[in-house]
Amino acid sequence: MPRGELRIYLGAAPGVGKTYAMLEEAHRRADRGTDVVIGLVETHGRKHTAAMLGDLEQLPRRTIEYRGAEFAEMDLDAILARRPQVAIIDELAHTNVPGTRNAKRWQDVQELLDAGIDVLSTVNVQHLESVNDVVAQITGTTQRETVPDEIVRAAEQVELVDMTPEALRRRMAHGNIYRPDKIDAALGNYFRVGNLTALRELALLWLADKVDEQLGRYRSQEGIAETWEARERVVVALTGGPEGETLIRRAARVAARSKGADLLAVHVARSDGLAGADPAQLARQRVLVESLGGTYHQVLGTDVPAALLDFARGVNATQLVLGASRRGRFAQLFSRGVGVTTTALSGAIDVHLVTHTEAGRGRAAAVPAAALSRRRRLFGFALALVGMPLLTLLLTVLPDLTLASDIMLFLAGVVAVALVGGLWPALVAALGGTLLINWFFTPPFHTLTIAEPENLLALGVFVGVALAVSWIVDLAARRTREAARAAADAQTLAAVAGGVLRGGRPLIALLDQLRETFGLRSVSVLELVEEAAGRPARAREEGSWCVVASVGDQPATTPDSGETTVPVDERITVVLCGRRLEAADRRLVEAFAAQAAVALRQERLAEEAATARPLAEADRMRTALLAAVSHDLRTPLASAKAAVTSLRSPDVEFDEEDRAELLATAEESLDRLARLVANLLDMSRLQAGVLGLTPVTIGLEDAVPRALDELEPQAAGVATDIPADLPAVSADPGLLERVLVNIIANALRYSPPGQPPTVTASAHAGQVELRVIDTGPGIPEDKWEHVFLPFQRLGDRDNQTGVGLGLALSRGLAEAMGGSLTPETTPGGGLTMVLRLPAVSHNLVEGPQE
């Protein structure tokens, strides 16, 4: 029986229309004569979705009793018994009530597919297992109902049902998603514009990855090797040479010209596993690639152009960046080089050959290390000097042999010397053997003259074979030693990576691993002081270097006080003490040093960020104080002065009622001024570090009424919605009241007549959020930050009325209490000011379900 097909409608959030689109497809199939049955559809009270059910056949749900309550679940057995062609099953990630056959609804769907029934289902991106933690970070809500990604990826079709965040919020405001009593809380929590935008991007990226996977599978099945430019991918080839950084930056600029382009760096290592490139250079270049948003890859291959193109075609690359050849002109006469060969074979892939300062200078030829130990080489020379004469003596006393037999025996002797001592002893043996054969065994004897041409040819072949065998033996020994060295280096680098990851301080962990690996007494990272930078003569003076990090006993304080010095750049040097390292170890130490420099920069960036944070806080506080002094002190002073001046005026006679009103005005203004000055003084002391806040546990149900009482009678019509189970907040009561008075007064000023603002509160992600919502003219999003600047009252031409401490100071007060104050657009028009404060207790809330 063929397996059924699964079609999934994927959405970024509840309410985008997944169920509606699924039911539309169900009607289309039913109209074509397909047997369609609704196994389960959740309308959530949405009238448009309920209307789409129409005349489609619906199977009754199964009632299950659990812990004294009854729950209605999908009847899987009824669907299997009915055996429709297509089953409509909503909410794939749903968790079934205990007592059903399967724990998850997607497991029910798997049974239906195994039975040959096609299934249409829905799922939100928030329920995909791979992005569950990301969604929790974005929304502050942990989704306990998830579905494995492989279930959704295995679907024959995944259709994205998309909607912009603004359109979805309008649907919410019009009551098309949730009941009216849940709209404000939803808009202020899960359905914020930022949340919806991030969830939408997650859904698009997840689906793009699935589409890319399907495209790769199709190209593989169809044997398509040429590049399809569905997505820009720029590959930069690295050799481990000094030109790598130039190539990486050029490739990054090429990728930046195309929105969403991928940057990939690849290094082709020798397939025999032997070292070729400089590991220190590759380490630095890898860090640079990753800092530019790219990825680093390493492939094996003996044919570099073929390996590069195989990798580029495998990732469906559209552009390949190569460096101009570093080989000299003479070498280019015999081989076209990697760049030219790759360009000729690239096909549809665009190849960029980038020039650089190293082009044409030739490769620095490294002096090869001896393949064999010094002891074996000496023994080989001794064998050559003693063995060849002994062999000659032996052949002179043996019965007469032909010249060919003599040559073969001497050749065996040369091979024996090569196996023992390597190339140079074998060369000595070959040359000595040639002279001995010519003198003793080639007519005319006891002269270096060769009479017969055949004898000359035989001696020439002997010399050639002896040299070839010697070279091959030496090369095999060298390769064996290099392979062992490469394996040891790989193990060391793996240990370095593990040590750095496990270490609390990456730099110290790296230096400690370096000291342990090479058995050193100490390792130091030195930095040239500012005064000596750029002055080589000064760099050798005492006190020109400072130790920024060290491990071990008696660390070096200058580059000259250590046995091995590895410069990282113009100012940073790594110094090793304890023993002098071999030249072969230096390449690995350079890789350590490069990583140490990166770790040092990361630690310093973290320190600078920590240092800048209190300075930024102090600057924000200073700005808030200046705003209050310049803006808020003027209002109560002006009112009190006007009242007192009027009372003292001899030109006007006031009755008792007028005098009482003027005195009340003066008293109220002076009280406001006293409170404002007290708050400013407290905040000044706080900024100076001599006064701390006194946060207490306070409920908004107590703080909001006090703020409204202070704003009476203007605040008489303000509606409040503060849940009884709302967590308390940690805040300074006096400062909190000033913030509330200010933002509520601001909302009252701009609210239309007869439409007073609304104050709501909710808990979200460990914070309590209080929203002051008005339906006034609102503020364009690009002007939101302007209202928090001194003297800014957008659209307010009355420059005499005060606004409490001012929005600038209100934001500073909120941040001083560990919270924030931000504006949002009210759905339907207007401005919503959101005050966030840390909650004393926070209960984890399930996210909305579709």
Side-chain angles (χ1 to χ4, degrees):
M1 177 186 300
R3 180 179 169 85
E5 294 186 356
L6 175 61
R7 181 169 183 172
I8 293 178
Y9 292 84
L10 174 68
V16 295
K18 302 181 301 300
T19 304
Y20 193 92
M22 179 179 64
L23 291 174
E24 283 185 326
E25 177 63 20
H27 279 287
R28 282 193 291 269
R29 297 196 183 194
D31 293 342
R32 295 196 298 264
T34 304
D35 184 15
V36 179
V37 166
I38 295 180
L40 184 141
V41 167
E42 297 287 359
T43 64
H44 296 286
R46 300 164 192 168
K47 57 183 180 180
H48 298 295
T49 304
M52 278 300 295
L53 295 174
D55 56 356
L56 293 174
E57 179 183 353
Q58 300 185 53
L59 294 181
R61 302 189 185 187
R62 176 187 174 193
T63 301
I64 299 176
E65 184 175 349
Y66 178 68
R67 292 185 177 179
E70 291 187 347
F71 299 89
E73 289 286 3
M74 183 183 73
D75 195 338
L76 176 61
D77 294 328
I79 300 175
L80 290 171
R82 171 68 173 74
R83 294 196 61 80
Q85 291 177 282
V86 179
I88 310 300
I89 301 175
D90 207 3
E91 296 186 359
L92 186 64
H94 173 74
T95 300
N96 294 329
V97 174
T100 55
R101 182 157 69 242
N102 296 313
K104 295 287 187 176
R105 187 166 292 165
W106 61 264
Q107 295 172 326
D108 296 337
V109 169
Q110 291 296 305
E111 285 199 36
L112 295 175
L113 295 174
D114 292 337
I117 301 173
D118 294 346
V119 175
L120 305 183
S121 188
T122 64
V123 71
N124 282 327
V125 70
Q126 70 202 47
H127 297 295
L128 295 175
E129 183 66 44
S130 64
V131 297
N132 184 255
D133 56 338
V134 180
V135 172
Q137 182 181 5
I138 293 171
T139 65
T141 302
T142 300
Q143 302 295 336
R144 296 188 177 91
E145 292 186 334
T146 60
V147 58
D149 285 51
E150 56 266 22
I151 300 298
V152 183
R153 290 188 183 277
E156 280 70 22
Q157 296 184 63
V158 178
E159 180 176 331
L160 179 66
V161 182
D162 191 28
M163 181 177 291
T164 64
E166 294 76 14
L168 186 57
R169 283 171 61 85
R170 283 196 298 270
R171 288 197 64 197
M172 174 71 73
H174 294 158
N176 294 330
I177 301 178
Y178 289 160
R179 297 194 308 270
D181 59 328
K182 291 186 175 182
I183 292 176
D184 287 340
L187 288 174
N189 291 281
Y190 198 86
F191 284 80
R192 312 176 192 201
V193 173
N195 287 0
L196 296 177
T197 302
L199 293 174
R200 187 187 186 200
E201 183 178 16
L202 275 179
L204 291 170
L205 291 175
W206 190 94
L207 188 61
D209 287 340
K210 176 175 171 55
V211 172
D212 198 44
E213 178 184 314
Q214 290 176 332
L215 177 61
R217 187 163 54 247
Y218 173 79
R219 283 163 49 86
S220 177
Q221 292 171 352
E222 299 296 326
I224 300 173
E226 61 268 17
T227 299
W228 286 6
E229 298 187 15
R231 187 176 185 178
E232 285 287 343
R233 285 187 174 89
V234 182
V235 173
V236 53
L238 302 178
T239 64
E243 76 281 359
E245 294 187 5
T246 301
L247 301 183
I248 292 169
R249 291 191 171 91
R250 176 62 61 86
R253 290 195 295 271
V254 172
R257 297 190 187 107
S258 300
K259 186 67 174 178
D262 296 332
L263 174 63
L264 301 90
V266 59
H267 169 66
V268 179
R270 293 169 55 172
S271 57
D272 55 12
L274 304 181
D278 185 348
Q281 292 278 9
L282 284 178
R284 285 191 289 267
Q285 291 164 14
R286 177 171 188 165
V287 172
L288 177 60
V289 169
E290 293 173 349
S291 69
L292 294 173
T295 57
Y296 178 85
H297 307 266
Q298 185 163 309
V299 297
L300 298 177
T302 53
D303 187 346
V304 175
L308 279 177
L309 291 174
D310 286 344
F311 174 81
R313 294 188 180 110
V315 298
N316 200 23
T318 56
Q319 302 187 64
L320 182 59
V321 178
L322 302 172
S325 178
R326 285 188 286 150
R327 300 181 310 145
R329 295 183 179 179
F330 182 76
Q332 295 180 25
L333 294 176
F334 298 94
S335 174
R336 296 190 300 175
V338 173
V340 177
T341 305
T342 304
T343 304
L345 301 175
S346 63
I349 302 177
D350 296 335
V351 178
H352 303 262
L353 275 178
V354 179
T355 187
H356 49 84
T357 56
E358 302 294 325
R361 292 188 175 183
R363 295 179 180 270
V367 178
L372 301 175
S373 65
R374 185 170 180 270
R375 181 177 179 182
R376 285 187 60 179
R377 295 198 307 274
L378 291 175
F379 188 70
F381 280 117
L383 184 61
L385 295 175
V386 176
M388 291 296 102
L390 288 178
L391 180 59
T392 303
L393 180 61
L394 178 64
L395 291 177
T396 57
V397 300
L398 288 177
D400 291 340
L401 299 175
T402 64
L403 179 61
S405 300
D406 294 333
I407 290 176
M408 292 300 296
L409 291 173
F410 270 94
L411 181 60
V414 172
V415 171
V417 172
L419 292 174
V420 173
L423 178 61
W424 294 107
L427 291 178
V428 172
L431 294 175
T434 302
L435 295 175
L436 291 173
I437 291 173
N438 188 7
W439 185 268
F440 289 101
F441 305 105
T442 304
F445 302 110
H446 306 299
T447 67
L448 296 179
T449 304
I450 301 175
E452 298 294 334
E454 292 82 357
N455 295 339
L456 179 62
L457 177 62
L459 284 176
V461 171
F462 165 74
V463 173
V465 172
L467 293 178
V469 170
S470 303
W471 174 259
I472 291 172
V473 171
D474 186 79
L475 183 63
R478 192 182 305 279
R479 288 288 184 263
T480 301
R481 186 168 183 174
E482 288 180 357
R485 179 77 190 186
D489 289 351
Q491 292 178 355
T492 301
L493 291 174
V496 169
V500 171
L501 291 175
R502 290 189 297 271
R505 293 182 60 192
L507 178 58
I508 296 300
L510 191 67
L511 297 182
D512 197 58
Q513 185 69 43
L514 175 59
R515 183 183 64 84
E516 180 181 337
T517 299
F518 293 100
L520 302 170
R521 185 183 74 247
S522 65
V523 180
S524 305
V525 178
L526 306 182
E527 185 175 22
L528 197 62
V529 298
E530 193 70 32
E531 294 77 11
R535 300 169 62 184
R538 177 72 186 278
R540 293 189 170 275
E541 297 178 4
E542 191 71 26
S544 297
W545 296 86
C546 63
V547 180
V548 295
S550 65
V551 294
D553 299 329
Q554 300 175 0
T557 56
T558 64
D560 296 335
S561 60
E563 280 76 14
T564 304
T565 302
V566 181
V568 178
D569 54 29
E570 294 82 1
R571 300 191 58 179
I572 297 177
T573 297
V574 177
V575 183
L576 315 179
C577 298
R579 68 183 184 89
R580 188 171 298 278
L581 299 180
E582 299 178 6
D585 294 328
R586 189 176 181 87
R587 287 160 58 90
L588 189 58
V589 173
E590 288 177 350
F592 273 92
Q595 293 296 335
V598 173
L600 176 61
R601 284 193 289 269
Q602 290 175 343
E603 287 190 3
R604 287 184 170 176
L605 286 175
E607 292 174 358
E608 290 176 2
T611 304
R613 192 175 297 113
L615 295 177
E617 294 292 339
D619 185 67
R620 282 196 295 269
M621 188 70 69
R622 187 180 300 108
T623 302
L625 291 172
L626 290 174
V629 170
S630 62
H631 180 235
D632 295 307
L633 288 176
R634 182 177 55 197
T635 300
L637 281 175
S639 299
K641 187 175 188 305
V644 173
T645 301
S646 298
L647 289 172
R648 294 189 60 191
S649 175
D651 301 330
V652 181
E653 290 289 337
F654 295 99
D655 56 25
E656 289 300 324
E657 183 178 353
D658 292 335
R659 289 175 60 85
E661 182 177 353
L662 289 173
L663 289 172
T665 300
E667 183 180 14
E668 178 184 357
S669 299
L670 292 174
D671 288 341
R672 290 172 58 195
L673 182 61
R675 288 194 297 269
L676 179 59
V677 170
N679 286 334
L680 290 174
L681 290 174
D682 286 343
M683 294 190 68
S684 298
R685 297 189 185 100
L686 176 64
Q687 184 182 6
V690 297
L691 175 69
L693 289 174
T694 55
V696 298
T697 300
I698 183 173
L700 290 183
E701 67 275 9
D702 297 328
V704 172
R706 287 201 295 267
L708 294 176
D709 290 342
E710 185 169 336
L711 292 171
E712 290 290 349
Q714 295 91 344
V718 174
T720 60
D721 181 12
I722 301 177
D725 58 348
L726 187 71
V729 299
S730 176
D732 185 293
L735 299 183
L736 176 59
E737 182 179 343
R738 297 315 309 163
V739 173
L740 293 175
V741 167
N742 181 32
I743 58 179
I744 295 174
N746 194 65
L748 285 168
R749 178 177 297 107
Y750 295 104
S751 295
Q755 299 181 28
T758 301
V759 179
T760 66
S762 61
H764 176 74
Q767 292 183 320
V768 172
E769 299 184 348
L770 184 136
R771 281 176 158 73
V772 179
I773 307 167
D774 70 62
T775 55
I779 300 174
E781 186 173 348
D782 59 344
K783 299 293 181 65
W784 279 355
E785 290 303 314
H786 290 189
V787 300
F788 295 104
L789 297 177
F791 307 104
Q792 297 295 318
R793 286 180 290 175
L794 204 60
D796 183 11
R797 297 178 182 175
D798 177 13
N799 207 31
Q800 304 302 319
T801 56
V803 287
L805 292 175
L807 289 179
L809 185 55
S810 296
R811 171 175 276 190
L813 293 173
E815 292 175 351
M817 292 185 289
S820 64
L821 181 64
T822 56
E824 291 181 358
T825 300
T826 302
L831 181 68
T832 298
M833 297 299 296
V834 184
L835 174 64
R836 297 180 177 86
L837 293 169
V840 174
S841 62
H842 176 65
N843 297 323
L844 190 65
V845 182
E846 276 287 339
Q849 300 287 328
E850 173 81 23

